[in-house]
Amino acid sequence: GAGVSQSPRYKVAKRGQDVALRCDPISGHVSLFWYQQALGQGPEFLTYFQNEAQLDKSGLPSDRFFAERPEGSVSTLKIQRTQQEDSAVYLCASSSGLAETQYFGPGTRLLVL
Amino acid sequence: GESVGLHLPTLSVQEGDNSIINCAYSNSASDYFIWYKQESGKGPQFIIDIRSNMDKRQGQRVTVLLNKTVKHLSLQIAATQPGDSAVYFCAVTYSGAGSYQLTFGKGTKLSVIP
């Protein structure tokens, strides 16, 4: 079946712009995770959902970041008033349950100029 | 919190040799461990996992070893091939606290010499 998909794959934003990154999880996966990966580093946790409930958002770096998953399927990560330090790859992962294997999408590479 | 460290940031091996990539973690309560492979421009790809009630698990050409006493995890790749060239991450989680986030190491870049 299809894996996790993310769009757009690449996004260039001017500093101060708002961006929205989309994640389509594997069909039937109830758990969805967002990670941020800086160049040359491992992914770092941002937030996760169980169905439509956001159970942990402790990794969101500032109040400019928020995520939603209103119908328990597709999720959107929104970054308001982007800053240069937001430049990174944003990865989405889904799993069939919270303690199960997380499968990652290809990521969205965000560059803030 | 959890921290995950790597032993070598880069590893070069001859094609056909075996590769061993190591990882250390800090939280003795960690109970789920995963190895991912990440190629340039792609997301992490699941390779193999192991839970804390096991100390060894084998897949196709890969073996994961878990030593809970010294909080050490390793990935062994048999008969390494050029297609194995990538960055390998170990990831760790502790599900008992209700947090299912993965904590990743910084990764080891494996280069296979033909």
Side-chain angles (χ1 to χ4, degrees):
Chain A
V4 178
S5 61
Q6 294 186 244
S7 61
R9 292 294 317 278
Y10 303 93
K11 177 69 178 178
V12 178
K14 292 182 178 178
R15 189 174 53 177
Q17 281 186 329
D18 297 349
V19 298
L21 313 180
R22 176 188 170 107
C23 173
D24 285 79
I26 293 171
S27 178
H29 277 193
V30 296
S31 302
L32 186 146
F33 301 77
W34 284 98
Y35 293 84
Q36 180 190 59
Q37 186 174 25
L39 189 64
Q41 303 294 315
E44 292 190 352
F45 171 79
L46 294 176
T47 185
Y48 76 78
F49 294 82
Q50 177 79 340
N51 297 303
E52 68 279 3
Q54 190 174 18
L55 299 185
D56 186 348
K57 54 182 180 180
S58 63
L60 296 176
S62 77
D63 59 7
R64 296 186 295 105
F65 288 70
F66 67 96
E68 58 186 11
R69 194 186 185 198
E71 298 179 357
S73 179
V74 171
S75 178
T76 304
L77 176 66
K78 298 182 179 180
I79 309 173
Q80 296 179 321
R81 305 180 302 280
T82 52
Q83 303 296 314
Q84 286 186 320
E85 60 263 29
D86 300 336
S87 297
V89 176
Y90 291 86
L91 295 163
C92 175
S94 71
S95 68
S96 57
L98 283 174
E100 301 302 320
T101 303
Q102 296 180 30
Y103 295 93
F104 283 80
T108 294
R109 185 176 298 273
L110 173 66
L111 177 62
V112 182
L113 302 176
Chain B
E2 174 71 84
S3 68
V4 180
L6 59 97
H7 290 203
L8 280 178
T10 61
L11 177 66
S12 293
V13 299
Q14 289 288 142
E15 182 178 357
D17 286 353
N18 296 334
S19 302
I20 300 176
I21 300 171
N22 296 300
C23 183
Y25 61 96
S26 64
N27 186 353
S28 57
S30 296
D31 57 3
Y32 185 43
F33 309 85
I34 313 172
W35 282 100
Y36 287 94
K37 171 186 180 183
Q38 188 173 30
E39 296 173 287
S40 181
K42 298 184 179 180
Q45 175 189 353
F46 171 81
I47 303 173
I48 191 168
D49 60 0
I50 189 168
R51 298 193 185 268
S52 57
N53 60 350
M54 302 175 68
D55 53 20
K56 181 179 180 179
R57 194 167 185 216
Q58 290 183 290
Q60 186 176 10
R61 286 201 305 119
V62 294
T63 300
V64 56
L65 298 177
L66 175 62
N67 185 330
K68 294 181 289 292
T69 301
V70 296
K71 292 180 284 190
H72 181 271
L73 186 71
S74 69
L75 175 70
Q76 301 178 3
I77 305 173
T80 312
Q81 303 170 359
D84 295 327
S85 294
V87 178
Y88 289 80
F89 292 98
C90 63
V92 175
T93 192
Y94 167 49
S95 57
S99 173
Y100 300 93
Q101 59 179 276
L102 294 176
T103 300
F104 284 78
K106 291 187 177 180
T108 292
K109 183 175 182 179
L110 175 65
S111 299
V112 181
I113 305 165

